[in-house]
């Protein structure tokens, strides 16, 4: 645990008692503060009380008297589409609002660091797509190289729940826009921006607000080095703002599908190869095409961002390449589940929107596509340009019929359930094809979350593998 510094002897309210909220409450108490806890859910309240934490109802008229700060969990809206009543009350009372990310950056460096020969590093990764895989990949390569590394934030553990990083340790943080937007302190050593596609627009008041939230990691924090994906206009704009000139190697620009050349520092993926270009010449090259854990252009982009983050802290290309080659991938993200009678079964349940599903569809050849669930605005109409490799679609969930109407000439079957879709795809699939779960929809109509949906797919494939289908 990282004990929170700066609130000793003070009363601090914690709103939202999920993973990050409970970790924040414990860390505040460990640092000498009194944590006043609240969650709108009775079960969460009971769990906090069972830990000996103090409940404090923010709806009381005097709730914020003598309160030093309000720490808010990421899922609670503070501005759009409307502020939570407790946040509105805190703002009216003039109580500063922060979150566990802000507390982490204020507390992670301790006087012990003055005795270290090699200071700990913090690598923070954000973006719309690929940030989980990039974060896990950075963490994996560090561990493969024998470096002490911890993974936290929007993936793994809560940031205040990790151990204080020792000498030479590296903390890898995946940060969502929700987490970045409220943090009062943002000081990573290396910050990574993967890409930007529309998401969470109601929470941020539109596309511009969403980008502004991501941008805070770079504008407010001022990282020593920034690794910026430049495949979208927002990334190009951000890279342009951060660089002082063409040869400013505090910026590492990343691109896929196009070469980046010039006097600065860049990394790009082109025709399946990762290329590092620095000071006007090629510094390294890695063939990504045969790395099973990183299939497709979108994963090549993830590899470039991870490579850039690790080069920024001085790791050699040879060591990074070794870690890339034995990366198995993340569950539910282009996860190779099995190969049965020459047919690959791939779980990309994390593809919850059309953009991420498009990347999955482009990563494989002839596809038996399992899609559907609780469709998002626009459905899958935007996927028409990338469905050429789909032999047939097997549609499930609430939006199955709507998706069928948007598939144009692609053959489809309304299956309804995951079990029926896997059975039908298995029945039809031929050697050399891929049965791909890439739903392009939320999971909440049939599953608790995308992990539960992916797990159901994996279990059904395992049954087929055992000959039980």
């Amino acid at each position: 645990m990282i004990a929170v510094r700066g609130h000793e002897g003070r009363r601090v309210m914690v709103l939202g008692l999920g993973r990050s909220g409970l970790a924040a409450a414990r860390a505040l108490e460990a640092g000498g503060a009194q944590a006043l806890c609240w969650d709108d859910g009775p079960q969460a309240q009971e769990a906090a009380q069972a830990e000996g934490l103090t409940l404090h109802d923010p709806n009381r008229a005097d709730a914020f008297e003598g309160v030093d700060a309000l720490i808010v969990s990421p899922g609670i809206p503070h501005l759009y589409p409307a502020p939570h009543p407790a946040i509105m009350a805190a703002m009216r009372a003039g109580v500063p609002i922060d979150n566990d990310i802000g507390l982490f950056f204020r507390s992670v460096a301790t006087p012990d660091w003055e005795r270290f020969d090699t200071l700990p590093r913090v690598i923070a990764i954000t973006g719309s797509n690929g940030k989980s895989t990039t974060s896990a990949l950075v963490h994996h390569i560090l561990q493969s190289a024998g470096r002490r590394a911890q993974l936290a934030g929007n993936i793994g553990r809560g940031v205040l729940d990790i151990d204080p990083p020792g000498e030479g340790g590296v903390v890898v943080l995946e940060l969502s826009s929700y987490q970045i937007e409220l943090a009062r302190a943002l000081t990573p050593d290396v910050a990574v921006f993967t890409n930007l596609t529309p998401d969470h627009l109601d929470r941020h008041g539109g596309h511009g607000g969403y980008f502004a939230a991501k941008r805070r990691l770079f504008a407010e924090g001022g990282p020593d080095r920034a690794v910026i994906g430049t495949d979208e206009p927002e990334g190009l704009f951000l890279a342009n703002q951060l660089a002082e000139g063409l040869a400013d190697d505090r910026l590492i620009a990343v691109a896929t599908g196009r070469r980046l050349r010039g006097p600065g520092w860049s990394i790009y993926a082109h025709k399946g190869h990762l290329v590092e270009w620095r000071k006007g010449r090629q510094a390294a090259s890695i063939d990504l095409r045969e790395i099973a854990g990183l299939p497709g252009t979108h994963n090549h982009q993830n590899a470039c961002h991870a490579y850039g983050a690790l080069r920024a802290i001085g790791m050699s290309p040879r060591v990074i390449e070794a870690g890339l080659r034995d990366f198995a991938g993340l569950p539910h993200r282009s996860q190779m589940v099995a190969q049965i009678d020459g047919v690959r079964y791939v779980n990309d349940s994390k593809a919850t929107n059309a953009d991420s599903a498009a990347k999955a569809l482009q990563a494989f050849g002839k596809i038996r596509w399992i899609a559907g669930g609780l469709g998002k605005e626009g459905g899958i109409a935007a996927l028409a340009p990338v469905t050429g490799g789909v032999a047939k679609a097997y549609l499930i969930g609430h939006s199955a019929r709507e998706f069928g109407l948007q598939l144009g000439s692609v053959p489809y079957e309304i299956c309804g359930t995951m079990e029926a879709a896997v059975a039908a795809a298995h029945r039809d699939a031929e050697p050399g094809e891929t049965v791909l779960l890439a739903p392009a929809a939320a999971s909440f109509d049939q599953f608790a979350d995308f992990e539960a949906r992916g797990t159901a797919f994996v279990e059904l494939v395992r049954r087929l593998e055992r000959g039980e289908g």
Side-chain angles (χ1 to χ4, degrees), residues 375-399:
K376 298 186 177 180
E377 185 176 353
I380 58 170
L383 293 177
V386 296
T387 55
V390 177
K392 187 175 177 180
Y394 304 82
L395 304 177
I396 65 173
H398 177 271
S399 298

Side-chain angles (χ1 to χ4, degrees), residues 78-426:
H78 60 274
L79 188 57
Y80 303 114
H84 186 280
I87 294 177
M88 180 63 80
M91 291 191 291
R92 285 175 173 156
V95 173
I97 299 171
D98 203 349
N99 63 11
D100 62 328
I101 304 301
L103 295 179
F104 167 84
F105 279 112
R106 289 184 174 189
S107 306
V108 66
T110 67
D112 291 341
W113 287 27
E114 296 177 5
R115 302 194 300 269
F116 293 163
D117 292 326
T118 304
L119 290 177
R121 302 286 192 94
V122 177
I123 299 173
I125 298 163
T126 194
S128 297
N129 298 308
K131 60 183 180 293
S132 294
T133 299
T134 301
S135 301
L137 186 52
V138 170
H139 180 249
H140 166 78
I141 295 170
L142 285 164
Q143 289 194 316
S144 296
R147 298 282 296 271
R148 287 181 291 183
Q150 298 180 83
L151 180 63
N154 202 45
I155 187 175
R157 299 160 67 185
V159 293
L160 295 170
D161 194 38
I162 66 173
D163 299 325
E167 180 164 341
V170 183
V171 177
V172 183
L173 300 181
E174 180 197 327
L175 298 182
S176 70
S177 55
Y178 294 1
Q179 293 170 309
I180 295 169
E181 192 169 36
L182 265 186
R184 285 179 167 250
L186 288 164
T187 53
D189 297 284
V190 179
V192 179
F193 177 87
T194 62
N195 49 53
L196 196 83
T197 57
D199 207 358
H200 310 304
L201 302 190
D202 59 336
R203 173 68 180 262
H204 297 295
H207 195 73
Y210 178 47
F211 175 54
K214 299 284 191 186
R215 182 179 175 274
R216 287 193 77 243
L217 182 62
F218 305 86
E220 302 291 331
D224 293 339
R225 279 213 163 94
V227 181
I228 307 294
T230 60
D231 289 341
E232 293 87 28
E234 291 86 358
L236 279 171
F237 175 78
L238 185 56
N240 183 273
Q241 285 203 315
L242 293 174
E244 293 295 331
L246 293 175
D248 186 352
D249 71 357
R250 293 173 303 172
L251 168 72
I252 303 176
V254 173
T256 54
R258 62 189 175 93
R259 295 182 176 89
L260 295 178
R261 302 287 175 86
W265 197 352
S266 60
I267 298 159
Y268 62 87
H270 184 69
K271 295 184 177 179
H273 288 78
L274 180 156
V275 177
E276 178 185 0
W277 190 268
R278 192 173 187 187
K279 297 180 180 178
R281 65 180 182 85
Q282 181 175 304
S285 177
I286 300 172
D287 188 345
L288 301 173
R289 292 171 295 179
E290 299 305 317
I291 299 179
L294 296 168
T297 301
H298 63 303
N299 274 312
H300 295 175
Q301 182 186 62
N302 297 334
C304 287
H305 286 118
Y307 180 95
L310 293 164
R311 290 291 287 134
I313 62 169
M315 189 171 282
S316 74
R318 179 182 58 81
V319 172
I320 298 172
E321 180 176 0
L324 287 171
R325 293 201 177 281
D326 64 9
F327 179 64
L330 279 181
H332 316 301
R333 296 164 176 87
S334 294
Q335 175 192 7
M336 188 71 67
V337 178
Q339 185 160 323
I340 305 171
D341 298 329
V343 177
R344 292 184 296 182
Y345 291 77
V346 176
N347 168 24
D348 204 335
S349 183
K350 184 64 168 64
T352 58
N353 57 44
D355 183 74
S356 51
K359 291 177 170 61
L361 289 170
Q362 291 171 295
F364 303 98
K366 196 171 183 182
I367 295 168
R368 301 286 171 175
W369 179 27
I370 299 176
L374 195 60
K376 298 186 177 180
E377 185 176 353
I380 58 170
L383 293 177
V386 296
T387 55
V390 177
K392 187 175 177 180
Y394 304 82
L395 304 177
I396 65 173
H398 177 271
S399 298
R401 296 194 180 280
E402 176 192 343
F403 279 19
L405 294 173
Q406 295 176 326
L407 279 170
S409 60
V410 176
Y412 69 90
E413 181 176 334
I414 302 293
C415 296
T417 67
M418 182 70 74
E419 187 170 12
V422 171
H426 174 67

